[in-house]
Amino acid sequence: MKNAKIHRLGDLQLRILKALWDRGEATVGDVLADLGPRADLAYTTIATMLRKMEARALVAHRAEGRTFVYRAVVEAEAVTRGMADHLLDRLFEGNLADLVDHLLTTREVSPEELRQLERLIAERRRKK
């Protein structure tokens, strides 16, 4: 998928998109509520970020009276794929085995996660 668009997103942008993906549509207030009180963000910060994200064609809005209701324009899978591919290419020079090795040696991996990885590899082998 070398032709897939890479969405470079900051932490806040990704959190806003997750809120929109979960809700489908949301106002600035809805997004702020979803981010939680620990986010320590102002309403105007979220509104400004949504406007910037709209300029980048990540979100779109419709007017409901004087309130803007936002929705994600990009799909979660496209963002995930693009960000993961970018990480793989930049940090591991496209070597998937190196990425997996890094994750297996630097993270706690449960026996269930290992079984799931083995199942995924077995499924991939069957498809080839």
Side-chain angles (χ1 to χ4, degrees):
M1 284 278 159
K2 293 292 181 188
N3 295 334
K5 179 165 175 62
I6 297 172
H7 299 284
R8 290 194 167 94
L9 303 173
D11 180 56
L12 180 56
Q13 292 171 325
L14 188 57
R15 289 169 52 209
I16 289 171
L17 279 173
K18 285 180 180 180
L20 293 175
W21 290 325
D22 288 346
R23 283 183 175 262
E25 290 187 324
T27 65
V28 174
D30 294 334
V31 171
L32 185 58
D34 285 355
L35 296 180
R38 292 181 303 190
D40 196 31
L41 296 165
Y43 181 95
T44 54
T45 302
I46 302 301
T48 298
M49 186 59 67
L50 281 163
R51 280 193 303 276
K52 288 180 178 182
M53 292 170 70
E54 188 166 26
R56 291 181 55 200
L58 298 169
V59 303
H61 80 272
R62 65 179 171 80
E64 196 171 275
R66 293 178 48 186
T67 303
F68 284 179
V69 180
Y70 290 88
R71 64 178 170 76
V73 174
V74 294
E75 294 182 13
E77 183 168 325
V79 171
T80 301
R81 185 183 317 113
M83 291 179 76
D85 286 349
H86 181 69
L87 174 75
L88 177 63
D89 291 341
R90 295 261 322 204
L91 294 180
F92 299 94
E93 297 178 354
N95 190 318
L96 183 59
D98 285 350
L99 170 62
V100 173
D101 179 59
H102 171 77
L103 292 172
L104 291 173
T105 57
T106 61
R107 303 232 177 211
E108 189 68 33
V109 183
S110 72
E112 176 54 35
E113 288 173 315
L114 286 174
R115 283 190 291 277
Q116 185 178 8
L117 289 169
E118 289 167 346
R119 280 192 301 270
L120 291 170
I121 290 168
E123 287 173 16
R124 178 52 71 111
R125 282 191 176 128
R126 282 192 293 276
K127 288 181 181 179
K128 296 230 174 206

Coordinates of all heavy atoms in Angstrom, one line a residue, residues 24-63:
G24 N -19.8 9.0 15.5 CA -20.4 9.2 14.2 C -20.4 10.7 13.9 O -19.8 11.2 12.9
E25 N -21.1 11.5 14.7 CA -21.1 12.9 14.6 C -21.0 13.5 16.0 O -21.5 12.9 17.0 CB -22.4 13.4 14.0 CG -22.5 13.2 12.5 CD -23.7 13.8 11.9 OE1 -24.8 13.9 12.6 OE2 -23.7 14.3 10.8
A26 N -20.5 14.7 16.1 CA -20.3 15.3 17.5 C -20.1 16.8 17.3 O -19.5 17.3 16.4 CB -19.2 14.7 18.2
T27 N -20.6 17.5 18.3 CA -20.3 18.9 18.5 C -19.0 19.1 19.2 O -18.4 18.1 19.7 CB -21.4 19.6 19.3 OG1 -21.4 19.1 20.6 CG2 -22.8 19.4 18.7
V28 N -18.5 20.3 19.2 CA -17.3 20.6 19.9 C -17.4 20.2 21.4 O -16.6 19.5 22.0 CB -16.9 22.1 19.8 CG1 -15.7 22.4 20.7 CG2 -16.6 22.5 18.4
G29 N -18.6 20.5 22.0 CA -18.8 20.1 23.4 C -18.8 18.6 23.6 O -18.3 18.1 24.6
D30 N -19.4 17.9 22.6 CA -19.4 16.4 22.7 C -18.0 15.9 22.7 O -17.6 15.0 23.5 CB -20.1 15.8 21.5 CG -21.6 16.1 21.5 OD1 -22.2 16.3 22.6 OD2 -22.2 16.1 20.4
V31 N -17.1 16.4 21.8 CA -15.8 16.0 21.7 C -15.0 16.3 23.0 O -14.3 15.4 23.5 CB -15.0 16.6 20.5 CG1 -13.6 16.3 20.5 CG2 -15.7 16.1 19.2
L32 N -15.2 17.5 23.5 CA -14.6 17.9 24.7 C -15.0 16.9 25.9 O -14.1 16.5 26.7 CB -14.9 19.3 25.1 CG -14.2 19.9 26.3 CD1 -12.7 19.9 26.2 CD2 -14.7 21.4 26.5
A33 N -16.2 16.6 26.0 CA -16.7 15.7 27.0 C -16.1 14.3 26.9 O -15.7 13.7 27.8 CB -18.2 15.6 27.0
D34 N -15.9 13.8 25.6 CA -15.4 12.5 25.4 C -13.9 12.5 25.7 O -13.4 11.4 26.1 CB -15.5 12.1 23.9 CG -16.9 11.7 23.6 OD1 -17.8 11.6 24.5 OD2 -17.2 11.4 22.4
L35 N -13.2 13.6 25.6 CA -11.8 13.6 26.0 C -11.6 13.6 27.5 O -10.5 13.3 27.9 CB -11.1 14.9 25.4 CG -11.1 14.9 23.8 CD1 -10.4 16.2 23.4 CD2 -10.4 13.7 23.3
G36 N -12.6 13.9 28.2 CA -12.6 13.8 29.6 C -12.0 15.0 30.4 O -11.3 15.8 29.8
P37 N -12.4 15.1 31.6 CA -11.9 16.3 32.4 C -10.4 16.3 32.6 O -9.8 17.4 32.8 CB -12.6 16.1 33.8 CG -13.0 14.7 33.8 CD -13.2 14.2 32.4
R38 N -9.7 15.2 32.5 CA -8.3 15.2 32.7 C -7.6 15.7 31.5 O -6.4 16.0 31.6 CB -7.8 13.7 33.0 CG -8.3 13.2 34.3 CD -7.8 11.8 34.6 NE -8.2 11.0 33.5 CZ -8.1 9.7 33.4 NH1 -7.6 9.1 34.4 NH2 -8.6 9.0 32.4
A39 N -8.3 15.9 30.4 CA -7.6 16.4 29.2 C -7.1 17.8 29.4 O -6.2 18.3 28.7 CB -8.6 16.3 28.0
D40 N -7.8 18.6 30.3 CA -7.4 20.0 30.6 C -7.3 20.8 29.4 O -6.3 21.5 29.1 CB -6.0 20.0 31.4 CG -5.8 21.3 32.0 OD1 -6.8 22.0 32.4 OD2 -4.6 21.7 32.2
L41 N -8.4 20.7 28.6 CA -8.4 21.5 27.3 C -9.6 22.4 27.3 O -10.7 22.1 27.9 CB -8.6 20.5 26.1 CG -7.4 19.6 25.9 CD1 -7.8 18.5 24.9 CD2 -6.2 20.3 25.3
A42 N -9.5 23.5 26.7 CA -10.5 24.5 26.6 C -11.4 24.2 25.4 O -11.0 23.6 24.4 CB -10.0 25.9 26.4
Y43 N -12.7 24.6 25.5 CA -13.6 24.5 24.4 C -13.0 25.1 23.1 O -13.1 24.5 22.0 CB -14.9 25.2 24.8 CG -16.0 25.1 23.7 CD1 -17.0 24.1 23.8 CD2 -16.1 26.0 22.7 CE1 -18.0 24.1 22.9 CE2 -17.1 26.0 21.8 CZ -18.1 25.0 21.9 OH -19.1 24.9 20.9
T44 N -12.4 26.3 23.2 CA -11.9 27.0 22.0 C -10.7 26.2 21.4 O -10.5 26.3 20.2 CB -11.4 28.4 22.4 OG1 -10.5 28.3 23.5 CG2 -12.6 29.3 22.8
T45 N -10.0 25.5 22.2 CA -8.9 24.6 21.7 C -9.4 23.6 20.8 O -8.9 23.3 19.7 CB -8.1 24.0 22.9 OG1 -7.6 25.1 23.7 CG2 -6.9 23.2 22.3
I46 N -10.5 22.9 21.2 CA -11.1 21.8 20.4 C -11.7 22.4 19.2 O -11.5 21.9 18.1 CB -12.1 21.1 21.2 CG1 -11.5 20.4 22.5 CG2 -12.8 20.0 20.4 CD1 -10.4 19.5 22.2
A47 N -12.4 23.6 19.3 CA -13.0 24.2 18.1 C -11.9 24.6 17.1 O -12.1 24.4 15.9 CB -13.8 25.4 18.5
T48 N -10.8 25.1 17.6 CA -9.7 25.5 16.7 C -9.1 24.3 16.0 O -8.9 24.3 14.8 CB -8.6 26.3 17.5 OG1 -9.2 27.5 18.0 CG2 -7.4 26.6 16.6
M49 N -8.9 23.3 16.8 CA -8.3 22.0 16.2 C -9.3 21.4 15.1 O -8.8 21.0 14.1 CB -8.0 21.0 17.3 CG -7.3 19.8 16.8 SD -5.7 20.1 16.0 CE -4.8 20.7 17.4
L50 N -10.5 21.4 15.4 CA -11.5 20.9 14.4 C -11.5 21.7 13.1 O -11.5 21.2 12.0 CB -12.9 20.8 15.0 CG -13.1 19.6 15.9 CD1 -14.4 19.8 16.8 CD2 -13.3 18.3 15.1
R51 N -11.4 23.0 13.3 CA -11.3 23.9 12.0 C -10.0 23.5 11.3 O -10.0 23.5 10.0 CB -11.3 25.4 12.4 CG -12.7 25.9 12.7 CD -12.7 27.4 12.8 NE -11.8 28.0 13.7 CZ -12.1 28.1 15.0 NH1 -13.2 27.7 15.5 NH2 -11.2 28.7 15.9
K52 N -8.9 23.4 12.0 CA -7.6 23.0 11.3 C -7.8 21.7 10.6 O -7.3 21.4 9.5 CB -6.5 23.1 12.3 CG -6.1 24.4 12.7 CD -5.0 24.4 13.7 CE -4.5 25.8 14.1 NZ -3.4 25.8 15.0
M53 N -8.4 20.7 11.3 CA -8.6 19.4 10.8 C -9.5 19.4 9.5 O -9.3 18.6 8.6 CB -9.1 18.4 11.8 CG -8.0 18.2 12.9 SD -8.7 17.3 14.4 CE -9.0 15.6 13.6
E54 N -10.5 20.3 9.6 CA -11.4 20.4 8.4 C -10.6 21.0 7.2 O -10.8 20.5 6.1 CB -12.6 21.3 8.7 CG -13.6 21.3 7.7 CD -14.9 21.9 8.1 OE1 -15.0 22.7 9.0 OE2 -15.9 21.5 7.5
A55 N -9.7 21.9 7.5 CA -8.9 22.5 6.4 C -8.0 21.4 5.7 O -7.7 21.5 4.6 CB -8.0 23.6 6.9
R56 N -7.6 20.4 6.5 CA -6.8 19.3 6.0 C -7.7 18.1 5.5 O -7.2 17.0 5.2 CB -5.9 18.7 7.1 CG -4.8 19.7 7.5 CD -4.0 19.1 8.6 NE -3.4 17.8 8.3 CZ -2.9 16.9 9.2 NH1 -2.9 17.2 10.4 NH2 -2.4 15.8 8.8
A57 N -9.0 18.3 5.4 CA -9.9 17.3 4.9 C -9.9 16.0 5.7 O -10.2 14.9 5.2 CB -9.7 17.0 3.4
L58 N -9.7 16.2 7.1 CA -9.8 15.1 8.0 C -11.3 15.0 8.5 O -11.7 13.9 8.9 CB -8.8 15.2 9.1 CG -7.4 15.2 8.7 CD1 -6.5 15.7 9.9 CD2 -6.9 13.9 8.2
V59 N -11.9 16.1 8.7 CA -13.3 16.2 9.2 C -14.1 17.1 8.4 O -13.5 17.9 7.6 CB -13.3 16.6 10.7 CG1 -12.5 15.7 11.6 CG2 -12.9 18.0 10.9
A60 N -15.4 17.1 8.5 CA -16.3 18.0 7.8 C -17.4 18.3 8.8 O -17.5 17.6 9.8 CB -16.9 17.3 6.6
H61 N -18.1 19.4 8.6 CA -19.2 19.8 9.5 C -20.4 20.1 8.7 O -20.4 20.4 7.5 CB -18.7 21.0 10.4 CG -18.9 22.3 9.7 ND1 -17.8 22.8 8.9 CD2 -19.9 23.2 9.6 CE1 -18.2 24.0 8.5 NE2 -19.4 24.2 8.9
R62 N -21.5 20.1 9.4 CA -22.8 20.6 9.0 C -23.3 21.5 10.1 O -23.0 21.3 11.2 CB -23.8 19.5 8.7 CG -24.2 18.7 9.9 CD -25.2 17.6 9.5 NE -25.4 16.7 10.6 CZ -26.2 17.0 11.6 NH1 -26.9 18.1 11.7 NH2 -26.4 16.1 12.6
A63 N -24.1 22.5 9.7 CA -24.6 23.4 10.6 C -26.0 22.9 11.1 O -26.8 22.5 10.3 CB -24.8 24.8 10.0

